[in-house]
Amino acid sequence: MNAIEVIDISKNYGRVKALDSVSFTVGKGEVFGLIGPDGAGKTSMYRILCSLLLPESGNATVEGFDVVRQMGEIRKRVGYMPGKFSLYQDLTVEENLQFFSTLFGTTFEEGYDSIRAIYSQIERFKNRRAGALSGGMKQKLALSCALVHQPSVLFLDEPTTGVDPVSRKELWEMLSTLKERGITIVASTPYLDEVRRCERVAFLDHGRIRGIDTPEVILHTFKDIFNPPGIEHEKTTGAQEENVIEVEHLVKAFGTFHAVDDISFTVRKGEIFGFLGANGAGKTTAMHMLTGLNQPTSGTGRVMGYDIRTEYEQIKKHIGYMSQRFSLYEDLTVAENIRLFAGIYGMKNAEITRKTDELLERLQFTEHKHTLVASLPLGWKQKLAFSVSIFHEPGIVFLDEPTGGVDPATRRQFWELIYDAAERGITIFVTTHYMDEAEYCDRISIMVDGKIKAMDTPDALKRAFNQPDMDHVFTYLARQATRGDG
């Protein structure tokens, strides 16, 4: 028997056809992948199946109940983990669980046994606010909230975006135990190792199903999209002896907790430097000190020759920064965003106009000059955000998980932009949870429990730890963490 049946479902947003006569079935107890590039229609499909959105035409049932006529029955039986963090940031772990239990007409106590295996991993932090949790802990809490009413079908819309490789593996191990309990799971993900953990996958592109089969068949048939050829790139020859970042014994403490615990390193001019670590390892805290957003507790650091303690305003003028949360203004056009940020960096009008035209041509965005950023696909937004962050030709650009949730082909294009910037002499300081991207860096640092546990070229690290790839190196080191996600 099928748990889900979708027949000719269509959904329009104005003139945009988000879903165009989509049909597929999911067997009871199956782990089914719904995959495709940004803007393919995946989230619209999830929302229709969870009875949160009405289709234009077509029919769909979940556990035999119609998504339009029997919404109440469906909502009792489904759990939904949306792509954006859906919990209440200012409520504690326990308060979030109690709220979602009440929402589904049950109690936390009644649902406890069904989430015990997952919740027990974060229960010691039950009084911590959700907004203060690391990525891995947020993911476990969101999954617990989606399961507390004991649903028979679980919808997961890119649940591991922005989560480190070890936490991602843990989530999929949890999903395996849910499958053993007979729960039907529908998941979307940009990570190929997660796609391969599904029994079947449907490839959705521009609102249409282009294929449904086993992961291997789909990934092979559409390999240009899901597994584009690696970027041929010589390790940066532009890296020079001059250091643009110098850090010695840097510490950032919050009370007795040392988020960054005595780190020292240098980064050379023109280098692509990968700054890796599990969620909660201290990466973002360290980056905030280097970019002048936070002050160290002790230790010294210089960025572009400026002291991070006393000259942080000068640092901000000489760097570019792209945060993991999309940083452009969605209600401004492409050109208006470029002009706004260029103005903030003190560029002259004539230079802004000339360089804007050059940039739009290079990105092939010329015809979208007056398009609102909100209407661009995620991959386009991120390429634009990166280009804006280096528009003023800074000495260094800091990229905090710049490709989170982006499909492989778009990530490849993004890294071509990074290489182009490095060739122009801009130093790249990048954090990422994609271990194939780690292979593209000239050197890598891996943080564990606030300390730098290893630092070298990708090839040297693989040799030193006798591991076949950076994913295995990262997992080996991250599993040595003792302070957990806290």
Side-chain angles (χ1 to χ4, degrees):
M1 179 188 167
N2 290 325
I4 298 166
E5 293 190 354
V6 175
I7 303 165
D8 291 329
I9 286 284
S10 292
K11 179 65 186 175
N12 303 330
Y13 299 104
R15 288 181 297 174
V16 177
K17 239 182 174 22
L19 295 168
D20 188 3
S21 298
V22 172
S23 299
F24 63 89
T25 61
V26 180
K28 223 171 180 42
E30 185 176 14
V31 178
F32 186 86
L34 189 62
I35 62 173
D38 309 308
K42 302 185 297 293
T43 298
S44 294
M45 191 74 251
Y46 280 120
R47 292 176 67 80
I48 287 170
L49 292 174
C50 291
S51 78
L52 301 172
L53 191 66
L54 293 174
E56 239 74 52
S57 60
N59 304 99
T61 60
V62 178
E63 296 283 63
F65 296 99
D66 186 274
V67 296
V68 176
R69 291 182 289 103
Q70 296 170 296
M71 291 181 182
E73 294 299 328
I74 283 177
R75 291 177 186 180
K76 291 177 193 171
R77 290 165 172 81
V78 303
Y80 178 41
M81 212 170 140
K84 290 189 171 66
F85 184 56
S86 57
L87 306 179
Y88 289 89
Q89 306 265 15
D90 53 348
L91 295 184
T92 66
V93 167
E94 193 171 58
E95 286 168 345
N96 265 287
L97 273 161
Q98 287 168 343
F99 172 77
F100 278 90
S101 301
T102 306
L103 206 60
F104 288 113
T106 184
T107 64
F108 175 39
E109 290 71 28
E110 276 181 65
Y112 184 82
D113 283 344
S114 66
I115 62 169
R116 184 200 304 270
I118 301 162
Y119 181 60
S120 62
Q121 300 178 43
I122 56 170
E123 193 164 12
R124 63 195 171 112
F125 304 110
K126 66 182 181 181
N127 295 319
R128 183 177 294 186
R129 289 188 178 188
L133 301 176
S134 72
M137 290 171 71
K138 283 178 177 175
Q139 174 199 58
K140 288 165 190 167
L141 176 56
L143 188 56
S144 297
C145 289
L147 290 168
V148 72
H149 63 296
Q150 303 176 56
S152 55
V153 181
L154 182 61
F155 293 101
L156 305 170
D157 190 358
E158 298 193 358
T160 54
T161 294
V163 178
D164 67 81
V166 173
S167 296
R168 289 201 294 109
K169 290 182 176 77
E170 287 176 353
L171 178 103
W172 279 87
E173 284 159 13
M174 293 173 206
L175 296 184
S176 294
T177 65
L178 296 178
K179 175 181 166 55
E180 287 167 15
R181 282 169 32 195
I183 295 176
T184 305
I185 297 166
V186 183
S188 56
T189 175
Y191 296 96
L192 300 191
D193 58 319
E194 295 181 2
V195 171
R196 291 188 177 98
R197 296 189 72 153
C198 299
E199 291 161 270
R200 287 188 307 139
V201 294
F203 171 33
L204 192 63
D205 187 27
H206 290 94
R208 301 192 79 123
I209 296 283
R210 290 183 58 186
I212 301 177
D213 214 312
T214 63
E216 288 308 322
V217 169
I218 294 295
L219 293 178
H220 177 73
T221 305
F222 301 101
K223 60 179 180 290
D224 289 350
I225 294 167
F226 292 106
N227 198 13
I231 303 173
E232 293 299 319
H233 173 71
E234 294 294 320
K235 291 299 179 189
T236 307
T237 52
Q240 300 164 22
E241 291 306 310
E242 176 191 346
N243 289 329
V244 290
I245 298 177
E246 295 177 331
V247 170
E248 290 187 15
H249 303 297
L250 204 59
V251 172
K252 180 63 180 180
F254 298 95
T256 58
F257 177 71
H258 284 203
V260 174
D261 192 5
D262 193 10
I263 63 172
S264 301
F265 65 95
T266 59
V267 178
R268 293 189 295 275
K269 182 177 172 61
E271 189 172 24
I272 299 176
F273 187 81
F275 198 59
L276 309 186
N279 294 112
K283 305 185 306 297
T284 299
T285 303
M287 192 182 277
H288 282 172
M289 287 189 281
L290 295 177
T291 54
L293 297 174
N294 218 324
Q295 290 289 291
T297 304
S298 62
T300 60
R302 300 188 79 80
V303 175
M304 298 295 294
Y306 298 105
D307 190 305
I308 63 172
R309 282 178 172 280
T310 59
E311 298 174 294
Y312 42 85
E313 291 303 328
Q314 284 298 319
I315 289 172
K316 290 174 188 175
K317 291 177 187 173
H318 289 84
I319 65 170
Y321 181 72
M322 182 178 165
S323 69
Q324 61 194 103
R325 292 179 180 84
F326 184 61
S327 53
L328 299 183
Y329 288 90
E330 302 244 324
D331 54 351
L332 296 182
T333 66
V334 169
E336 286 168 343
N337 266 286
I338 295 171
R339 179 165 289 278
L340 172 67
F341 283 93
I344 289 170
Y345 285 116
M347 294 175 66
K348 301 287 189 292
N349 279 338
E351 187 185 14
I352 293 172
T353 301
R354 176 180 58 80
K355 290 192 69 175
T356 296
D357 291 339
E358 289 173 2
L359 172 61
L360 294 175
E361 195 171 327
R362 190 161 69 244
L363 292 178
Q364 299 180 329
F365 275 22
T366 303
E367 63 186 72
H368 297 286
K369 182 175 184 176
H370 302 299
T371 301
L372 284 179
V373 164
S375 64
L376 297 175
L378 177 62
W380 288 31
K381 288 178 182 176
Q382 285 175 292
K383 284 190 282 188
L384 179 62
F386 173 68
S387 300
V388 167
S389 74
I390 60 169
F391 193 72
H392 59 301
E393 298 287 333
I396 304 173
V397 61
F398 290 86
L399 307 174
D400 193 359
E401 293 174 35
T403 54
V406 178
D407 61 86
T410 306
R411 289 200 293 114
R412 186 185 190 281
Q413 292 167 10
F414 190 92
W415 272 85
E416 285 170 346
L417 292 177
I418 288 179
Y419 284 144
D420 180 55
E423 287 298 322
R424 302 206 310 270
I426 297 175
T427 303
I428 312 291
F429 189 100
V430 58
T431 72
T432 179
H433 287 319
Y434 290 98
M435 291 301 105
D436 59 323
E437 293 183 353
E439 304 271 2
Y440 295 154
C441 297
D442 298 319
R443 278 193 310 145
I444 288 167
S445 148
I446 300 178
M447 283 188 78
V448 179
D449 289 348
K451 297 179 181 292
I452 292 177
K453 284 292 184 185
M455 184 162 53
D456 214 322
T457 65
D459 287 343
L461 289 173
K462 286 181 278 189
R463 285 195 302 272
F465 295 101
N466 194 27
Q467 300 292 339
D469 53 38
M470 281 308 303
D471 186 53
H472 283 78
V473 172
F474 182 94
T475 301
Y476 172 76
L477 290 171
R479 289 200 187 279
Q480 295 176 21
T482 55
R483 71 185 189 194
D485 267 324

